[in-house]
Amino acid sequence: MSNWEDPEVAKSIGDAASKWGFFQIVNHDVPVEVLENVKDATYRFFGQPAEVKNKYSEEHSSSNNVREQVLDYMKKSEVVIKQLLQVLMKGLKVNEIDETKESLLMGSTRTNLNYYPICPNPELTVGVGRQSDVSTLMILLQDQIGGLFVRKNQGDNWIHIPPIKGSLVINIGDALQIMSNGRYRSVEHRVVANGSKNRISVPIFVNPRPGDMIGPLPELVENGEEPIYKKVLYSDYVKHFFRKAHDGKKTIEFAEL
């Protein structure tokens, strides 16, 4: 991704976003050192006793190195997020991301530190059930253990996303599928438990704000596209998602016309 202006780069991103909804990027603007630091900090955090970890929730903790590393990771990732959105919007013939549109696409960001401990019987459980994300984008940093799978189209084939050092996994979320009027697609994914090693991942969720109305972008409708989604309040969409168990992509039906 060293040259975001390269038409071949833009085409590859657009193809991956429309056909798969998942792809990995390398040679981006987040230093590998930052990625390794946040992974190391996450492992250290989950390796501590519960009473020590509880101290990290204290708002004014002066020794919260984990928070510092995560905030640095989020700050460095913001450039990549904006570059990705710029390319994806141009693929929709939306050539300008003004302040209002930027706020709609990425008005709210949050991160999780995910920890998947060793499972004695991994064949009997799942780390995270099959789902799509409700976000605009999800930027995922995974460790070297692996275990992330995406569903190929609507079939029963699940494709492993192999860890690549220095890479970031990009996931198209439901919000972008709706705003692109289905041109970009979110995709089901799941995490498989590991029987021999602990696993961590650090996702950044890029979302509209809770009070935003999401629907097909006006530029698409004005160019003659028939909308296939209605406008919905983003917070209502998220609430609908969390009301039920992981069930693939059924949440998107909430916004269908």
Side-chain angles (χ1 to χ4, degrees):
M1 306 304 298
S2 55
N3 185 3
W4 290 89
E5 301 299 322
D6 186 339
E8 288 300 313
V9 170
K11 184 179 185 304
S12 295
I13 292 173
D15 286 348
S18 59
K19 295 175 182 176
W20 283 94
F22 247 87
F23 53 96
Q24 295 197 72
I25 59 174
V26 294
N27 299 325
H28 46 71
D29 290 325
V30 184
V32 172
E33 181 183 4
V34 171
L35 303 182
E36 294 302 310
N37 285 345
V38 77
K39 285 192 289 186
D40 290 346
T42 303
Y43 270 114
R44 287 198 306 273
F45 172 76
F46 285 109
Q48 297 176 119
E51 60 271 19
V52 177
K53 286 186 284 190
N54 287 339
K55 294 179 180 179
Y56 282 77
S57 64
E58 299 175 9
E59 185 177 352
H60 301 295
S61 172
S62 60
S63 60
N64 198 335
N65 179 256
V66 174
R67 180 175 289 137
E68 292 173 5
Q69 299 293 348
V70 170
L71 289 175
D72 187 38
Y73 165 54
M74 292 185 73
K75 182 178 180 180
K76 297 290 196 310
S77 297
E78 187 174 329
V79 174
V80 176
I81 292 166
K82 289 182 177 181
Q83 289 168 327
L84 280 168
L85 289 173
Q86 194 79 246
V87 170
L88 289 166
M89 288 300 103
K90 284 183 178 179
L92 300 175
K93 302 294 189 287
V94 178
N95 295 319
E96 181 184 357
I97 300 181
D98 58 17
E99 188 175 332
T100 300
K101 190 163 271 83
E102 180 177 298
S103 181
L104 176 65
L105 293 166
M106 54 177 296
S108 171
T109 58
R110 67 177 181 84
T111 188
N112 292 345
L113 302 183
N114 294 333
Y115 179 66
Y116 305 90
I118 295 171
C119 179
N121 301 107
E123 69 281 357
L124 300 179
T125 189
V126 173
V128 173
R130 63 186 186 92
Q131 65 174 57
S132 59
D133 291 323
V134 297
S135 52
T136 302
L137 294 175
M138 187 263 286
I139 316 299
L140 179 71
L141 172 63
Q142 60 173 340
D143 65 10
Q144 75 281 2
I145 305 304
L148 175 64
F149 289 78
V150 301
R151 188 179 184 184
K152 184 178 180 181
N153 299 323
Q154 298 303 312
D156 291 326
N157 294 327
W158 289 86
I159 311 298
H160 183 235
I161 306 298
I164 299 173
K165 185 173 182 179
S167 72
L168 292 169
V169 178
I170 310 301
N171 172 23
I172 305 297
D174 288 353
L176 187 54
Q177 176 168 329
I178 293 168
M179 288 189 278
S180 70
N181 203 32
R183 302 259 290 274
Y184 300 135
R185 57 188 300 272
S186 62
V187 68
E188 291 180 48
H189 54 281
R190 67 184 184 187
V191 175
V192 175
N194 191 287
S196 60
K197 294 181 179 179
N198 299 323
R199 176 182 183 272
I200 60 101
S201 66
V202 186
I204 297 175
F205 296 96
V206 182
N207 311 298
R209 296 167 303 181
D212 285 332
M213 297 294 294
I214 61 171
L217 293 170
E219 292 89 341
L220 303 181
V221 178
E222 290 166 5
N223 286 334
E225 282 194 28
E226 189 71 27
I228 59 176
Y229 300 107
K230 60 188 175 184
K231 288 187 176 181
V232 295
L233 185 66
Y234 185 63
S235 60
D236 287 345
Y237 189 85
V238 174
K239 288 174 186 174
H240 179 71
F241 173 82
F242 283 110
R243 280 192 197 109
K244 50 195 181 48
H246 291 161
D247 57 358
K249 284 195 62 173
K250 289 189 177 179
T251 310
I252 202 80
E253 296 172 3
F254 182 77
E256 289 177 351
L257 285 170

